[in-house]
Amino acid sequence: MARITAEEAHERTGAEAVLLDVREHAEWAAGHAPGAVHAPLSELASGGRLPRAAEDRPVITICRSGKRSREAAGLLAARGVDVVDVLGGMRAWVEAGLGVVGGSSGGRSAPGSPPGGNGDSDTVSGADGSPGMSRAHSSANGSSAPGGPSDAAARLA
């Protein structure tokens, strides 16, 4: 199964392929790539259909870190979908400085987000929807500057 970088996914998303975010609903709501389409892995694994926007198009799957997107890519490939997944997931996407939209109200956009896009969040939800860590404790590189790539990566972690 082919894997591509976040930068390659960003370049291919749009006219060439659909970016399919396979994280769960709370994770999607916390912030996602602009233009991405949402289909949780749990729904795909239980036989759920691809969203209409992803039908009959090449698909690039993405999740938090790359594990679920790889699994989703395998499921979709077995269905005959032309699919690759993003190595490193949304963590790599944010670290590459690519845009993130969504999240809580009243925050700041992640680097590369369109004006008015909101990629900030004060609390990280776990993959199971449980409360996560606060922003002050979520930096991936030791920096606690809110709104930076490490802050957004931790929020999407």
Side-chain angles (χ1 to χ4, degrees), residues 30-126:
H32 53 272
V37 176
H38 186 221
L41 174 60
S42 61
E43 293 176 17
L44 293 172
S46 65
R49 295 182 53 96
L50 276 173
R52 184 181 233 57
E55 291 178 355
D56 301 319
R57 299 204 43 214
V59 171
I60 301 168
T61 58
I62 192 167
C63 65
R64 177 183 53 91
S65 65
K67 182 179 178 191
R68 288 176 286 174
S69 63
R70 186 174 179 102
E71 184 178 341
L75 287 170
L76 295 174
R79 295 183 191 180
V81 175
D82 178 7
V83 61
V84 297
D85 78 296
V86 178
L87 184 64
M90 284 301 294
R91 287 179 173 173
W93 184 276
V94 170
E95 289 299 321
L98 302 171
V100 176
V101 296
S104 66
S105 60
R108 290 168 296 283
S109 298
S113 293
N118 185 352
D120 199 9
S121 176
D122 290 330
T123 308
V124 179
S125 293

Side-chain angles (χ1 to χ4, degrees), residues 145-157:
S150 293
D151 181 53
R155 176 176 38 75
L156 296 172

